[in-house]
Amino acid sequence: MSTPGHRNSLDWTLFAVLTVLWALAYPGNRLAVNMSDPAHGFPPQLVTAARLCIGAAILMGIAIWKKERFPPLTDWRRWGTLFVLGFIGMTAPFLAITFAQRTVDSSLAALYVAAAPLFVAGLAHFFFAAERLTRGVVLGLIVGFSGVALLFGPDAISSFGSASVGAQALCLMATMFYAITTITARAAPPMSPIMMSAAFVTLAALLSLPTLAGVDFAELDPAPSAYAGIAILALAPTAAASFLYMRLVARTSATFISLTGYTIPVVTALIAFFMFGEMQSFRSVAAYALILFGVWLSQKGAKKDPSV
């Protein structure tokens, strides 16, 4: 495991790949629910269940192929952790964000993720001695968030009138769920990344199935792009990202992983621009500099923590 202030190239490579995979969730949701024409999209319940079931099938197939050993059913600590990761980390936030993205565009939805490092850093301060808040970490978090605010702030504020308050509340709730998930994963008992990801994604898929009772399948008339959205969601931010997430959790820290909250909105904006032509009037140079400097500063500040 690498230490704060000493992240190696593999840590940052996994961080970058994980950012891209998670960023694909927002345009993927937009395609799946067909925000511009909901009548030819899938309902949020079906989007969530489909991405989880396909992702679970992929991960479970890999786990079986690699002959991974799952914990016995009597191991309540491990299965309890996996249940929390499945429900709080996937089923609940996926449903919340997918419902929200019927009225909230990709850029605004991704903006809420920028608050995750603030929640995680605060929680990690109480749960992990090696992740106590220092002035350097706090300063880095503030600088990073100011960069995201500069990038999206004016556009997000101007669109608040069109996005329902309830949808925005769902985005914020999902962000808090993600923060709790990061802390839970960091405190989890030792488990292999592939077994862990296969187990909690499968649990999340099972937990999502009852929501399908409210779906009228006879009324569905999805466009081909909606199917493409589900495929993107299942392969990238669900299956691949879950495995990389578990691996990065084992290597680094909760606060480090939560910094994807600053980079995901940037990558989402780029993807949304090329896929949908979404134009963001962000001040790119200053915003990118602030976000990247905030990520660097928070990690450098953690190096001075005397408990490390």
Side-chain angles (χ1 to χ4, degrees):
M1 176 177 173
S2 59
T3 59
H6 293 89
R7 305 300 177 202
N8 58 37
S9 58
L10 180 57
D11 294 335
W12 286 107
T13 298
L14 292 175
F15 180 94
V17 174
L18 192 58
T19 293
V20 174
L21 292 174
W22 274 339
L24 284 168
Y26 298 94
N29 275 328
R30 173 169 172 156
L31 286 172
V33 301
N34 203 343
M35 182 178 172
S36 59
D37 186 10
H40 296 293
F42 288 107
Q45 306 96 307
L46 184 55
V47 172
T48 299
R51 69 179 289 190
L52 286 172
C53 288
I54 297 172
I58 293 171
L59 290 169
M60 191 59 72
I62 295 174
I64 294 173
W65 175 64
K66 292 180 67 67
K67 299 180 180 179
E68 292 282 337
R69 294 177 61 87
F70 291 84
L73 295 179
T74 54
D75 191 341
W76 294 107
R77 186 185 175 198
R78 283 180 169 78
W79 282 110
T81 298
L82 293 169
F83 178 87
V84 171
L85 292 175
F87 180 68
I88 301 295
M90 304 200 91
T91 309
F94 286 2
L95 274 171
I97 291 177
T98 307
F99 267 105
Q101 282 203 254
R102 292 184 300 175
T103 55
V104 173
D105 65 23
S106 301
S107 300
L108 179 55
L111 173 61
Y112 285 91
V113 179
L118 302 177
F119 293 123
V120 171
L123 291 171
H125 174 78
F126 296 101
F127 285 94
F128 308 118
E131 297 187 46
R132 302 296 186 197
L133 288 174
T134 64
R135 283 179 295 181
V137 173
V138 172
L139 180 59
L141 293 173
I142 293 173
V143 170
F145 187 77
S146 68
V148 175
L150 176 63
L151 184 63
F152 290 98
D155 300 301
I157 292 172
S158 65
S159 63
F160 277 175
S162 60
S164 70
V165 174
Q168 295 174 54
L170 287 174
C171 289
L172 185 58
M173 181 177 67
T175 299
M176 290 190 286
F177 283 157
Y178 286 143
I180 295 171
T181 301
T182 300
I183 297 297
T184 302
R186 183 73 178 82
M191 289 180 273
S192 75
I194 186 61
M195 182 281 290
M196 196 173 183
S197 56
F200 79 73
V201 174
T202 298
L203 286 172
L206 294 174
L207 290 168
S208 72
L209 294 179
T211 66
L212 296 179
V215 176
D216 186 352
F217 289 88
E219 295 295 322
L220 296 180
D221 184 24
S225 59
Y227 287 101
I230 288 181
I232 291 171
L233 290 168
L235 296 174
T238 304
S242 296
F243 170 69
L244 287 182
Y245 175 56
M246 290 298 101
R247 186 172 181 188
L248 197 57
V249 163
R251 292 181 54 84
T252 59
S253 69
T255 303
F256 177 72
I257 296 170
S258 72
L259 293 174
T260 55
Y262 292 150
T263 53
I264 286 173
V266 177
V267 177
T268 299
L270 293 174
I271 295 173
F273 171 76
F274 287 109
M275 288 184 67
F276 311 115
E278 288 186 8
M279 296 296 294
Q280 299 294 332
S281 59
F282 50 79
R283 280 59 54 192
S284 58
V285 176
Y288 279 116
L290 279 173
I291 292 170
L292 295 178
F293 182 60
V295 171
W296 174 82
L297 189 61
S298 65
Q299 290 303 293
K300 184 175 177 61
K303 180 180 179 181
K304 299 177 181 179
D305 186 346
S307 65
V308 174

